[in-house]
Amino acid sequence: MNSPEVRTLLKAAVHDGNDGRQAGKQGELRRLGWMSLSALGRLRLAVDLVRHVFAEHTDLSSTNSSRSVRDAPADGFAGCCDTLAAELPAAILARVLGVHIRVAVQWQKASAGNWATIHQARLGSTEFKVIRPARPLAHAVLIDHDRHLDTYLDQDAAQRIGGLWKLAASSPRSLVHLPMRGNRGPSHELPEDGTRQLDLVLLHHSLQFAPSRWKEIRGRLGPGRPQTVTMPGAGHSDEAVIDHEARHYQENRDLFHQHLHADTLFMTGSAKVFRDTARHFFDVARNGPGYVPVHPSYPHFCTELHSNDGILGDAREIHIEYCDQWDE
């Protein structure tokens, strides 16, 4: 098999291997005996396919670990390789992939952070820094329903958006741009009347950014500079540090404000409100995949940025729903 064929097969194996529902790849999966393999056997086959593609792009046996990791193919396929690196101990990873242990360690360090692209755009005398996820948020949509907003996410998108939400808290001089408006929606039918899909921009209120400038900035963004950005995780004390009562004080300034321009929703807030609300996305990523299969009569796991939470200023509620079936 050539490289594109192996990539296609690996994606089928990773995402649809449990039942082989992708008709176009079902025959090839059967030919390899995928359906009859145990979980460990499937992992071994996936690793073999990973090795096949990586051999065409990198010298995995080299002790030059930084070169091997940096030159790896950077697309959705590489994301599942990062998952392997995050889940397996370095010694086992090195053994099953046939790589030097230094390469395995470096790969694990790289997979601990998510690749982002950093963009610079200048308008007049002002330079703007824009951060985007390097891998597309393929299974994520943001729907404008006029009176409220709906977000539909799979596990990967929810986890990464939670990290980007926290990144916005720690990057007060940057615009965090999440392109989503061109994505296909989940497989279940979405309401269509009076709706439209949006991109999302997260920004700190101290930037005092005018959304009317966004369309021109967006048009000037090039491919960007790849950079490893450590995405903050869910943590263990998010809920404990939130003073829910203080949110309802008149003096509370830790509020989200929203603006809509150029098919983009701008979420402007303080570092604190971004940190405190990222947990909603981590909750969907952590609990959604386990909830939906065991509740077939009502496979609906969701959370919400609600008006009663004391976090919304001039802003609409956002409903956040986990979805595991998506149109391709």
Side-chain angles (χ1 to χ4, degrees):
M1 288 183 287
N2 58 35
S3 179
E5 289 174 341
V6 174
R7 286 178 185 234
T8 300
L9 178 57
L10 180 58
K11 288 178 181 178
V14 171
H15 295 297
D16 295 283
N18 289 334
D19 51 19
R21 282 174 294 184
Q22 283 193 348
K25 299 142 184 120
Q26 193 173 28
E28 188 64 21
L29 288 171
R30 283 188 178 139
R31 186 181 70 77
L32 288 170
W34 179 269
M35 310 304 181
S36 61
L37 290 175
S38 65
L40 180 59
R42 292 180 180 184
L43 175 60
R44 286 172 175 164
L45 176 56
V47 167
D48 285 342
L49 296 174
V50 169
R51 293 180 64 183
H52 180 96
V53 175
F54 263 53
E56 297 186 7
H57 292 270
T58 64
D59 179 10
L60 286 180
S61 62
S62 170
T63 58
N64 186 348
S65 57
S66 59
R67 174 179 174 81
S68 298
V69 174
R70 184 177 62 250
D71 294 343
D75 55 12
F77 161 79
C80 82
C81 300
D82 288 342
T83 300
L84 288 176
E87 295 294 332
L88 295 178
I92 297 178
L93 184 67
R95 182 175 179 181
V96 297
L97 292 181
V99 304
H100 194 282
I101 192 167
R102 294 180 189 173
V103 177
V105 171
Q106 183 65 21
W107 188 6
Q108 288 186 323
K109 288 180 179 178
S111 66
N114 288 342
W115 283 97
T117 52
I118 310 299
H119 308 255
Q120 306 286 343
R122 181 174 291 278
L123 289 184
S125 60
T126 307
E127 187 172 66
F128 296 91
K129 179 180 177 181
V130 179
I131 301 174
R132 284 172 165 169
R135 287 191 293 122
L137 295 164
H139 293 162
V141 292
L142 175 62
I143 311 291
D144 184 354
H145 290 280
D146 189 25
R147 293 193 176 187
H148 72 282
L149 298 142
D150 278 346
T151 304
Y152 300 94
L153 308 168
D154 72 354
Q155 184 180 34
D156 174 70
Q159 182 70 27
R160 288 201 286 147
I161 291 177
L164 291 162
W165 212 263
K166 280 197 166 186
L167 186 63
S170 60
S171 306
R173 309 309 301 169
S174 301
L175 302 166
V176 181
H177 178 213
L178 284 64
M180 296 187 287
R181 60 194 168 103
N183 290 349
R184 292 179 178 269
S187 297
H188 66 74
E189 187 176 352
L190 297 176
E192 294 294 338
D193 294 340
T195 66
R196 58 173 167 166
Q197 291 186 206
L198 303 172
D199 283 348
L200 179 62
V201 170
L202 313 175
L203 64 154
H204 195 274
H205 59 67
S206 64
L207 267 180
Q208 298 184 331
F209 177 77
S212 59
R213 310 184 76 181
W214 172 245
K215 190 171 184 179
E216 188 174 0
I217 291 174
R218 186 175 62 192
R220 297 188 179 193
L221 299 178
R225 172 172 51 87
Q227 181 172 316
T228 301
V229 177
T230 300
M231 298 295 185
H236 301 287
S237 58
D238 286 352
E239 189 69 23
V241 300
I242 297 174
D243 187 343
H244 293 277
E245 184 177 348
R247 282 180 171 179
H248 299 280
Y249 293 162
Q250 187 174 356
E251 298 81 7
N252 180 27
R253 295 293 182 267
D254 296 311
L255 301 170
F256 280 123
H257 298 280
Q258 297 171 351
H259 298 87
L260 196 60
H261 186 77
D263 294 319
T264 303
L265 176 71
F266 294 84
M267 290 286 291
T268 305
S270 66
K272 177 175 172 53
V273 75
F274 275 115
R275 282 195 306 268
D276 289 353
T277 54
R279 62 186 178 85
H280 290 281
F281 297 95
F282 293 126
D283 183 35
V284 168
R286 182 170 52 247
N287 297 313
Y291 181 91
V292 168
V294 298
H295 295 83
S297 60
Y298 190 68
H300 183 93
F301 186 90
C302 65
T303 183
E304 198 166 29
L305 301 181
H306 199 276
S307 58
N308 292 336
D309 293 339
I311 56 172
L312 301 180
D314 184 11
R316 292 175 287 170
E317 295 178 342
I318 301 181
H319 176 261
I320 307 165
E321 182 177 339
Y322 170 76
C323 295
D324 63 344
Q325 300 295 322
W326 291 77
D327 294 331
E328 296 296 341

